[in-house]
């Protein structure tokens, strides 16, 4: 199964890879993985840099490195810590330095394997080096699989502002791996659900109905989950394909993110670095944006139902100590005004008027913002 789409007449592929599990590293055979087969058929200069997240399951790195090294003995491997705090200039230049050290050309290939941080930084490095070399992406977190791997958004964080330096540069090929899905920790897997929910709400695609079959989703049945992923990615493509630079329709894909990014920025130095996942924050953000626009309407309860079904957070009660609540409320309010979608003094958000119909609106009612923080985030 695969998805093909075009941007400015150039073709891009998303491939679903039911590659077999396990590998005998004593065998000197290649083309074990889908990506190895694609690389062998590709026209490039035979220089490949493979960038892995340090935290990725070693079973994944073992079989990918083994297979690629057989076909490409000069394969370079770089390990990056994929924590949010490392989405910065230092990591970006570490990747760029590798390109220069290995004398990469525009026909060299960067293969990234990690979550959204790795994908975003590798995409930005690929865009900047010689004004663009080839980027293949193997997303390794659920949020990256169903959201950040497509659309061409690349960025680093700077001066405490999320994704404040970046550009648009699309991965030529993306690989959705059955093996990676099977190895995802449950919390990591469930953290992608809100991004799926987001697409089901703004596009009225079948994913909300499919998500209600919780047991088969949690069992990670590849055929079933791949169907959900495919619908979600097709919705993303529908919204960004003719609006790559977020001048209109694509902005709807930020549903939930105005509040989510404000939450993430306020919690980044609190508790521990794993306090809240991006997808978890998006789930709370979806509830906030629905409530801000329309109160607790039908869509609010649909979203809350799915979040509760998967035991995902619907507020920050378990993330913020009672003594820090007032301070965090103020930080979230202030962070909302740092959102990159803002074009004047009013932050923008996505107003879901009904299932499948949304539009970009401005949050002009500051009292309503504070009420939303009180009634939803800290209810």
């Amino acid at each position: 199964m695969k998805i093909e789409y075009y941007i400015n007449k150039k073709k891009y592929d998303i491939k679903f890879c039911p590659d077999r599990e396990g590998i005998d590293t004593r065998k000197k055979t290649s083309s074990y993985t889908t990506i190895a087969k694609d690389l062998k058929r590709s026209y490039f200069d035979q220089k490949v840099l493979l960038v892995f997240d340090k935290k990725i399951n070693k079973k994944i790195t073992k079989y990918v490195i083994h297979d690629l090294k057989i076909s490409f003995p000069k394969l370079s491997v770089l390990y990056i810590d994929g924590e949010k705090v490392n989405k910065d200039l230092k990591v970006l230049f570490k990747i760029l330095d590798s390109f220069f050290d290995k004398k990469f050309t525009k026909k060299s290939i960067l293969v990234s394997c990690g979550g959204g941080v790795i994908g975003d930084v590798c995409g930005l490095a690929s865009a900047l080096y010689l004004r663009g070399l080839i980027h293949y992406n193997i997303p390794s977190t659920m949020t990256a699989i169903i959201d950040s791997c497509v659309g061409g958004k690349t960025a680093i964080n700077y001066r405490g502002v999320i994704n404040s330096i970046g550009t648009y540069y699309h991965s030529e090929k993306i690989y959705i791996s059955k093996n990676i899905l099977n190895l995802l920790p449950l919390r990591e897997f469930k953290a992608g659900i809100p991004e799926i929910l987001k697409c089901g709400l703004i596009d009225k695609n079948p994913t909300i109905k499919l998500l209600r079959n919780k047991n088969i989703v949690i069992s990670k049945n590849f055929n079933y989950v791949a169907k959900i992923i495919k619908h979600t990615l097709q919705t993303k493509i529908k919204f960004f394909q003719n609006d790559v630079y977020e001048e209109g329709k694509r902005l709807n894909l930020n549903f939930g993110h105005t509040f989510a990014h404000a939450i993430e920025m306020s919690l980044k130095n609190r508790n521990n670095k794993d306090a809240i996942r991006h997808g978890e924050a998006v789930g709370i953000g979806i509830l906030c944006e629905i409530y801000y626009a329309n109160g607790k309407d039908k869509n609010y309860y649909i979203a809350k139902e799915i979040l509760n079904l998967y035991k995902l957070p619907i507020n920050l009660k378990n993330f913020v100590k009672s003594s820090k609540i007032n301070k965090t409320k103020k930080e979230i309010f202030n962070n909302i005004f740092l959102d990159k979608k803002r074009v004047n003094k009013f932050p923008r958000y996505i107003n879901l008027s009904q299932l499948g119909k949304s539009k970009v609106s401005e949050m002009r009612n500051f009292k309503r913002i504070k009420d939303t923080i009180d009634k939803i985030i800290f209810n």
Side-chain angles (χ1 to χ4, degrees):
M1 181 167 64
K2 69 178 180 178
I3 302 171
E4 293 182 351
Y5 62 99
Y6 290 82
I7 297 173
N8 296 327
K9 297 182 180 180
K10 182 175 180 179
K11 185 167 79 90
Y12 297 89
D13 294 324
I14 303 169
K15 295 192 174 184
F16 292 79
C17 311
D19 294 319
R20 68 184 187 274
E21 294 184 42
I23 187 167
D24 184 351
T25 53
R26 296 169 297 179
K27 291 183 179 179
K28 301 300 180 183
T29 57
S30 61
S31 297
Y32 160 72
T33 55
T34 305
I35 189 169
K37 293 176 184 176
D38 278 359
L39 280 169
K40 287 180 75 175
R41 291 192 290 259
S42 298
Y43 172 71
F44 69 109
D45 64 7
Q46 302 299 300
K47 293 180 179 179
V48 183
L49 173 64
L50 182 59
V51 178
F52 273 117
D53 187 337
K54 282 182 179 178
K55 299 184 298 181
I56 201 168
N57 193 302
K58 295 301 183 288
K59 291 180 181 178
I60 299 297
T61 57
K62 187 176 182 180
Y63 81 72
V64 175
I65 291 173
H66 166 265
D67 203 36
L68 293 185
K69 273 198 169 179
I70 290 171
S71 298
F72 310 101
K74 294 183 179 180
L75 175 76
S76 303
V77 181
L78 181 64
Y79 287 91
I80 300 291
D81 189 339
E83 297 286 352
K84 293 176 187 175
V85 293
N86 295 319
K87 193 176 181 180
D88 58 13
L89 284 168
K90 183 178 178 182
V91 170
L92 174 65
F93 278 97
K94 187 173 184 179
I95 297 168
L96 290 171
D97 284 341
S98 294
F99 292 158
F100 282 101
D101 292 343
K102 304 297 179 182
K103 295 181 171 58
F104 271 35
T105 71
K106 289 179 70 68
K107 288 297 181 182
S108 302
I109 294 180
L110 167 62
V111 179
S112 59
C113 187
V117 170
I118 298 296
D120 280 11
V121 180
C122 285
L124 183 56
S126 299
L128 294 174
Y129 184 75
L130 303 180
R131 298 198 182 102
L133 53 72
I134 304 165
H135 181 212
Y136 288 3
N137 190 12
I138 311 172
S140 70
T141 66
M142 193 62 175
T143 305
I145 287 168
I146 49 80
D147 185 59
S148 65
C149 71
V150 296
K153 285 187 177 181
T154 72
I156 58 170
N157 304 332
Y158 189 63
R159 294 195 174 187
V161 181
I162 293 173
N163 298 330
S164 52
I165 296 178
T167 187
Y168 296 89
Y169 194 75
H170 301 269
S171 302
E172 202 164 293
K173 295 183 186 294
I174 296 163
Y175 300 89
I176 311 298
S177 166
K178 175 185 176 182
N179 292 339
I180 287 177
L181 277 170
N182 284 342
L183 291 166
L184 285 177
L186 183 58
R187 184 183 178 191
E188 191 67 62
F189 179 77
K190 291 197 302 181
I193 299 296
E195 295 282 8
I196 296 170
L197 172 64
K198 171 194 77 178
C199 288
L201 290 168
I202 64 173
D203 193 32
K204 203 176 180 180
N205 68 30
T207 53
I208 292 175
K209 183 178 178 180
L210 292 169
L211 284 173
R212 288 192 170 108
N213 196 342
K214 177 192 172 185
N215 291 337
I216 195 168
V217 174
I218 293 298
S219 73
K220 299 176 185 175
N221 178 290
F222 186 68
N223 290 334
Y224 193 86
V225 174
K227 190 185 300 184
I228 292 174
I229 294 168
K230 185 176 181 181
H231 284 304
T232 302
L233 294 180
Q234 285 174 328
T235 289
K236 281 211 68 177
I237 292 165
K238 173 183 172 180
F239 276 87
F240 77 68
Q241 194 167 18
N242 296 313
D243 183 27
V244 170
Y245 300 108
E246 286 192 297
E247 295 172 350
K249 188 176 180 180
R250 180 174 182 158
L251 284 165
N252 287 275
L253 292 170
N254 288 293
F255 183 35
H257 285 64
T258 299
F259 279 92
H261 284 156
I263 289 168
E264 288 181 281
M265 284 189 281
S266 71
L267 296 186
K268 67 177 181 176
N269 295 320
R270 301 286 180 82
N271 303 322
N272 59 70
K273 58 189 175 184
D274 249 353
I276 195 165
R277 303 293 174 88
H278 173 70
E280 294 169 342
V282 168
I284 299 172
I286 287 171
L287 295 178
C288 288
E289 294 189 20
I290 294 174
Y291 179 82
Y292 175 86
N294 304 304
K296 294 184 178 181
D297 65 1
K298 182 180 178 181
N299 293 321
Y300 175 89
Y301 286 107
I302 289 172
K304 189 175 179 181
E305 172 206 348
I306 297 298
L307 296 175
N308 281 332
L309 182 64
Y310 287 90
K311 294 182 171 58
L312 287 159
I314 57 173
N315 55 49
L316 291 184
K317 280 184 177 180
N318 295 325
F319 296 98
V320 179
K321 295 178 181 178
S322 57
S323 60
K324 301 286 186 181
I325 287 177
N326 287 335
K327 182 180 179 182
T328 306
K329 285 181 180 180
K330 291 176 183 177
E331 289 176 348
I332 292 172
F333 180 84
N334 292 332
N335 289 340
I336 284 171
F337 292 84
L338 297 175
D339 190 82
K340 65 183 184 299
K341 295 185 297 301
R342 183 170 61 89
V343 292
N344 55 41
K345 67 178 182 178
F346 300 113
R348 293 195 290 179
Y349 78 109
I350 307 307
N351 183 341
L352 184 71
S353 57
Q354 64 184 74
L355 201 62
K357 289 190 177 181
S358 59
K359 64 179 181 179
V360 181
S361 300
E362 291 183 329
M363 287 195 281
R364 292 172 170 263
N365 188 333
F366 295 178
K367 184 179 178 181
R368 183 68 172 171
I369 296 173
K370 291 178 179 178
D371 181 62
T372 301
I373 294 170
D374 286 336
K375 299 286 180 59
I376 305 300
I377 299 178
F378 288 100
N379 181 28

